[in-house]
Amino acid sequence: MTARTADHAVRLLIVGPPGAGKGTQATGLAHAYGVPAISTGDIFRSNIKNGTNLGLRVKAIIDAGELVPDSLTNELVQSRIAEADCVGGFLLDGYPRTVEQVSFLTSHLAESNTAIDAVVRLVVDTEVVVERLRNRALKEGRTDDTEEVIRNRLAVYANETEPIVAIYAERGVVVEVDGEGRVDEVAKRILDGLAEQGVRR
Ligand code: B4P
């Protein structure tokens, strides 16, 4: 699909625990809606790889499975979504991750009379995600995919990120999707769920 215009902008979020398949699904979903997929995790990792100041600041935090401070993450997302390719909307993957980040994003979007249209929530059993991330560790060697750090990331998710789902649920924009099964099956469920929610492609 070609890029969307401002008149038909779509603003989406994808949330779920580490290993739920956010990054895996984000690319295809963003393509289907003609918007860019923006992963805060990918942005941090590429800064770490390139040895930038931001990368140096966040490396130890990410390696421990903790969250990067809200102020830093909010600023990063604010400037990314101000870029020209986001005029027709965006798909945010891995942001917001705290109640504070939700408040920031909501106020920021309200300044331009816009809001999030839908939040895709991927639901996957804890042992399934641990197994997926163990497999990824073998293939990709991500430094935050060790058993200990995976468990910590899951705990951080439960404490810090899970509460954001209730905020969006109150706004009536959450689309809950079973994230288990084949990647293409999950992708279809997401598209069907968004269509049911009335989010047009
Ligand atoms: P992320 O990059 O968001 O890492 P993640 O939660 O593990 O998600 P990821 O996208 O990699 O995994 P996915 O669910 O796609 O964040 C990394 C770190 O950056 C955080 O811990 C934090 O420190 C920092 N950070 C990022 N955003 C932040 C924010 N907003 N605030 C503060 N700090 C922030 O799972 C992918 C794996 O599952 C793959 O191996 C894939 O092959 C597999 N998989 C997916 N779907 C599958 C399926 N259907 N079947 C089998 N395997 C599947």
Side-chain angles (χ1 to χ4, degrees), residues 102-122:
V102 173
S103 302
F104 177 86
L105 180 65
T106 305
S107 315
H108 177 65
L109 292 178
E111 283 169 19
S112 53
N113 288 319
T114 60
I116 294 302
D117 297 296
V119 176
V120 175
R121 181 200 195 186
L122 288 175

Side-chain angles (χ1 to χ4, degrees), residues 17-175:
K22 302 181 296 292
T24 307
Q25 296 295 338
T27 318
L29 178 58
H31 183 75
Y33 276 88
V35 294
I38 299 168
S39 156
T40 40
D42 282 351
I43 296 173
F44 290 136
R45 277 186 294 279
S46 107
N47 275 274
I48 292 171
K49 195 167 155 230
N50 296 323
T52 67
N53 274 341
L54 174 64
L56 293 173
R57 282 175 76 182
V58 303
K59 182 172 184 343
I61 300 172
I62 289 185
D63 282 353
E66 298 295 332
L67 294 181
V68 173
D70 288 334
S71 55
L72 199 59
T73 312
N74 287 336
E75 207 179 297
L76 180 92
V77 171
Q78 180 176 6
S79 69
R80 178 63 188 86
I81 64 180
E83 287 179 28
D85 63 339
C86 293
V87 71
F90 46 74
L91 167 66
L92 291 174
D93 156 15
Y95 178 93
R97 244 176 165 99
T98 63
V99 169
E100 163 59 30
Q101 291 179 14
V102 173
S103 302
F104 177 86
L105 180 65
T106 305
S107 315
H108 177 65
L109 292 178
E111 283 169 19
S112 53
N113 288 319
T114 60
I116 294 302
D117 297 296
V119 176
V120 175
R121 181 200 195 186
L122 288 175
V123 181
V124 180
D125 181 78
T126 301
E127 291 316 309
V128 173
V129 301
V130 172
E131 192 51 36
R132 285 181 184 179
L133 295 177
R134 273 210 213 102
N135 284 336
R136 181 168 71 183
L138 295 175
K139 284 189 216 141
E140 297 176 20
R142 240 172 81 167
T143 48
D144 61 349
D145 278 345
T146 63
E147 176 92 30
E148 193 192 342
V149 176
I150 292 169
R151 297 277 174 198
N152 189 40
R153 284 157 61 205
L154 286 166
V156 170
Y157 178 82
N159 293 331
E160 305 281 337
T161 308
E162 189 65 32
I164 79 165
V165 176
I167 301 176
Y168 285 110
E170 246 174 55
R171 299 180 194 173
V173 293
V174 175
V175 174

